[in-house]
Amino acid sequence: MTEATQPALPDSIQVIERGWLSSNNVLLFEGESATLVDAGYVGHAPQTVALVKSALATRRGSPGLGRIINTHSHSDHIGGNAALQAEFGCRIVIPAGIERMVAEWDTEALLLDQAKQQGERFAHDAVIEAGSEFEMGGLVWQALAAPGHDMEALIYHCAERRILISGDALWQDGFGIIFGEIMGAADALPATRRTLETIARLGVDVVIPGHGAAFADFDGALARAFRRLDSFEGRPDARRPQRRARLLHLQPARPAAPARRRASRLPEKRALLPPRQPAHAGFLRRRLRLLALGRTPAFALDRTARRLDLPDHRAVAPAPTLGVIPSQMGIRSQFKFAGIRPSGRSSD
Amino acid sequence: VRAAAGAGVASPCVNICRMEGDHCAGCWRSLEEIAAWSRASDEHKRLILAAVASRRQRHEPPGDRCRTGHD
């Protein structure tokens, strides 16, 4: 029995818990070799290499690193691939869905449009298909498709020991930002729901998330994730990708007149306004503009979105705290935000 | 009552994650302390935090904080 506050993991699994910028690094020991699931952020790669080296050296038999397996393509999960491969000569195994992006190093599709990250290109050695089974840490794992945060993401489930390596598809409190939804892809939210439903049907005692500590409260985490998804689906703009894209300045704004005409309805709507939505939308719009300019790496979107998703939204909701420039939020925008609310439920 | 897993003692990580000598320039933990964190008991974590605090004081006299952890 391990510590009361720690969920029990087999001895063959070591989670190296990293900060929010890097994904966790999960080491699975299998005799003379080890597998690492996810490699951390590129800027942290030297420390990731040092941590893995240290963990391998302190393990009985001093195993080598045989493989890296990624859950998805984002820079905080693949950023250390190249450095780890250079150090350990390990194989790199990626989800089949990102094979083309990696092979062609499509930095736009990989959300890697930053010069520093482009330098960390790697070549993969193999792919994992959704539905396939493989061994890690002396256990059998099944790869499952987990579209949502990343449409090509995989999660890894060990039925025998009821362990789920969930990447950014499920965290203790939520899941990774749904990029597709922000970009206006109509299928992103339905896919996220199917993924959560798939996860909910699995037998799981311990979740090893891509960020944060491993946790045993699987049911609670699922309930929180579904609640969050409910509120995303309740946004009027979630069902109107074009309008949403316009809101996020990905398309030119329409003239403000029609919105002004409808502004007479504003007072009633304002009374229903949940506190976090205006800041959320304004923040994402600003961040996306920076992303388009190449100034904001994907992980920063992720990280700040996580801040917004803290249980007490009021603590982080005021726009100035998040750097939303008031002058950017014209009367039309404010009206639009006022109309955004979770359908038929209050935000808790 | 079971506490939320791993939530007993917060990690000192501040996302700098760069080793300077034997310790991380951000959180002042050693490689072993970072790697062991996820399996450490709350008591062990508090010991690590105490060690971190004393290292920080030794290396970063008050008023000198802004010079470390950035490049």
Side-chain angles (χ1 to χ4, degrees), chain A residues 3-7 9-11 13-21 44 47 50-51 54 172 213-216, chain B residues 2-7 11 13 15-19 24 29 31-32 34-42 45:
Chain A
E3 297 296 327
T5 54
Q6 305 287 340
L9 281 172
D11 184 50
I13 302 179
Q14 181 178 3
V15 181
I16 304 179
E17 197 185 322
R18 308 294 297 275
W20 284 110
L21 288 181
H44 296 169
Q47 190 187 60
L51 281 167
S54 162
Q172 187 156 21
F215 60 89
Chain B
R2 183 161 60 175
S11 162
C13 176
N15 284 308
I16 287 169
C17 307
R18 190 185 67 240
M19 301 307 288
C24 175
R29 285 178 297 175
L31 287 172
E32 293 73 23
I34 298 169
W37 186 265
S38 69
R39 275 186 188 269
S41 65
D42 284 356
K45 287 178 178 175

Side-chain angles (χ1 to χ4, degrees), chain A residues 182-183 240-251:
Chain A
I182 296 164
M183 302 303 186
R240 294 184 220 172
Q242 284 188 333
R243 181 179 167 192
R244 184 162 181 79
R246 203 162 48 238
L247 177 75
L248 296 165
H249 281 204
L250 296 173
Q251 293 175 9

Side-chain angles (χ1 to χ4, degrees), chain A residues 7-344:
Chain A
L9 281 172
D11 184 50
S12 65
I13 302 179
Q14 181 178 3
V15 181
I16 304 179
E17 197 185 322
R18 308 294 297 275
W20 284 110
L21 288 181
S22 272
S23 65
N24 291 333
N25 314 124
V26 187
L27 267 173
L28 299 103
F29 298 99
E30 42 225 356
E32 293 173 359
S33 186
T35 297
L36 184 72
V37 176
D38 282 341
Y41 171 58
V42 63
H44 296 169
Q47 190 187 60
T48 305
V49 168
L51 281 167
V52 170
K53 203 188 278 187
S54 162
L56 293 171
T58 49
R59 184 83 186 178
R60 201 175 338 105
S62 302
L65 185 65
R67 297 182 288 197
I68 297 169
I69 296 180
N70 296 120
T71 56
H72 61 288
S73 68
H74 294 163
S75 66
D76 53 331
H77 294 255
I78 64 168
N81 280 10
L84 287 161
Q85 188 173 49
E87 177 71 27
F88 300 102
C90 55
R91 288 155 51 81
I92 294 177
V93 186
I94 60 173
I98 65 169
E99 184 171 25
R100 188 201 59 78
M101 302 175 210
V102 169
E104 296 171 11
W105 206 244
D106 181 344
T107 55
E108 197 179 324
L110 292 166
L111 297 172
L112 292 182
D113 270 336
Q114 268 218 320
K116 198 177 172 189
Q117 296 177 7
Q118 287 171 14
E120 292 299 313
R121 182 170 183 169
F122 63 89
H124 66 285
D125 299 288
V127 299
I128 300 183
E129 302 273 359
S132 63
E133 288 194 343
F134 58 99
E135 278 189 44
M136 296 191 288
L139 300 166
V140 176
W141 299 77
Q142 185 176 33
L144 298 160
H149 167 72
D150 179 326
M151 294 305 279
E152 309 299 338
L154 296 177
I155 55 177
Y156 304 120
H157 180 237
C158 173
E160 178 194 344
R161 297 297 296 262
R162 298 170 64 89
I163 302 165
L164 179 68
I165 297 179
S166 63
D168 291 352
L170 179 71
W171 295 334
Q172 187 156 21
D173 190 11
F175 43 75
I177 184 170
I178 304 170
F179 285 101
E181 189 220 0
I182 296 164
M183 302 303 186
D187 59 341
L189 289 179
T192 305
R193 178 163 291 279
R194 284 196 301 277
T195 292
L196 289 180
E197 286 166 354
T198 300
I199 293 173
R201 284 192 292 268
L202 300 174
V204 176
D205 289 338
V206 183
V207 179
I208 304 173
H211 300 269
F215 60 89
D217 182 20
F218 180 57
D219 293 342
L222 270 174
R224 286 186 290 274
F226 273 116
R227 263 207 307 280
R228 171 160 310 167
L229 185 59
D230 288 346
S231 82
F232 287 176
E233 288 171 337
R235 288 181 201 154
D237 286 302
R239 296 197 198 88
R240 294 184 220 172
Q242 284 188 333
R243 181 179 167 192
R244 184 162 181 79
R246 203 162 48 238
L247 177 75
L248 296 165
H249 281 204
L250 296 173
Q251 293 175 9
R254 266 190 322 189
R260 283 217 191 92
R261 271 204 304 279
R262 286 179 296 170
S264 57
R265 300 208 297 265
L266 185 56
E268 303 91 87
K269 295 213 169 186
R270 184 177 277 157
L272 298 168
L273 182 64
R276 79 182 168 127
Q277 298 292 359
H280 192 222
F283 151 77
L284 287 174
R285 190 181 56 174
R286 195 176 73 91
R287 270 300 164 109
L288 275 163
R289 230 179 7 248
L290 290 173
L291 184 68
L293 294 170
R295 292 186 199 149
T296 305
F299 69 79
L301 268 172
D302 242 15
R303 186 176 52 147
T304 321
R306 274 180 212 121
R307 285 178 53 210
L308 282 160
D309 289 331
L310 290 173
D312 184 3
H313 305 130
R314 270 157 262 254
V316 293
T321 314
L322 294 161
V324 175
I325 300 163
S327 66
Q328 289 179 343
M329 299 174 63
I331 184 167
R332 186 174 56 85
S333 308
Q334 283 170 27
F335 170 75
K336 278 192 174 176
F337 297 147
I340 299 171
R341 66 185 173 83
S343 58

